[in-house]
Amino acid sequence: MSDCIFCKIANGEIPSNTVYEDDQIICFHDADPQAPVHVLIIPKKHIPSLDEVKEEDKELLGTIMLKVQDLAKDLGLDNGYRLVNNCGEDGFQTVKHLHFHLLGKRKMTWPPG
Ligand code: AMP
Ligand code: ZN
């Protein structure tokens, strides 16, 4: 997707503060952090949202989920963390490229506030 900001981050066109990258995924610090640690985990493949994940993306999704614990260790989130996906309009998804927010280093209430 030529006009997708996260595709541009994935292909290096737009710089990001990257914490991890391989051929399938890239993880980088959110530009507007909502917690002392706020990292985004995205597939390099353009998938518009969690609602548009296909059967063929099953392994990719598993890879992303398994990466969370590695990142949490690397980022020192030994007291826990929150993983968030905003999906669609009611989920207030602003970037239409699948991503997961990994938030930590502060106590997070539920419901969020
Ligand atoms: P969402 O509202 O779930 O779609 O989240 C999109 C997130 O992307 C927001 O937290 C933004 O702060 C973040 N964001 C947007 N552009 C960039 C960028 N160029 N680099 C890092 N984070 C970004
Ligand atoms: Zn994209």
Side-chain angles (χ1 to χ4, degrees):
M1 277 273 292
S2 54
D3 61 344
C4 169
I5 186 164
F6 283 0
C7 280
K8 288 183 179 170
I9 286 177
N11 69 24
E13 227 178 295
I14 292 179
S16 70
N17 193 350
T18 306
V19 295
Y20 174 82
E21 180 173 10
D22 62 26
D23 56 330
Q24 286 188 299
I25 69 179
I26 181 165
C27 312
F28 51 94
H29 289 282
D30 196 291
D32 182 20
Q34 302 303 310
V37 171
H38 185 171
V39 163
L40 298 174
I41 309 165
I42 74 166
K44 289 191 171 177
K45 175 183 177 183
H46 183 83
I47 300 171
S49 80
L50 193 60
D51 203 48
E52 284 153 275
V53 166
K54 305 273 190 291
E55 188 69 23
E56 71 201 34
D57 301 318
K58 241 159 111 171
E59 203 176 319
L60 178 58
L61 264 286
T63 300
I64 290 172
M65 288 301 119
L66 277 172
K67 186 49 66 184
V68 172
Q69 55 186 267
D70 293 346
L71 286 169
K73 275 191 199 80
D74 292 349
L75 295 162
L77 307 182
D78 10 86
N79 207 36
Y81 49 82
R82 181 168 290 169
L83 187 71
V84 173
N85 172 257
N86 298 324
C87 182
E89 208 180 319
D90 283 1
F92 214 80
Q93 179 183 1
T94 59
V95 177
K96 310 296 190 250
H97 179 128
L98 179 65
H99 55 279
F100 295 89
H101 300 254
L102 177 61
L103 301 139
K105 292 272 182 194
R106 79 163 160 85
K107 283 262 186 285
M108 273 165 278
T109 54
W110 189 262

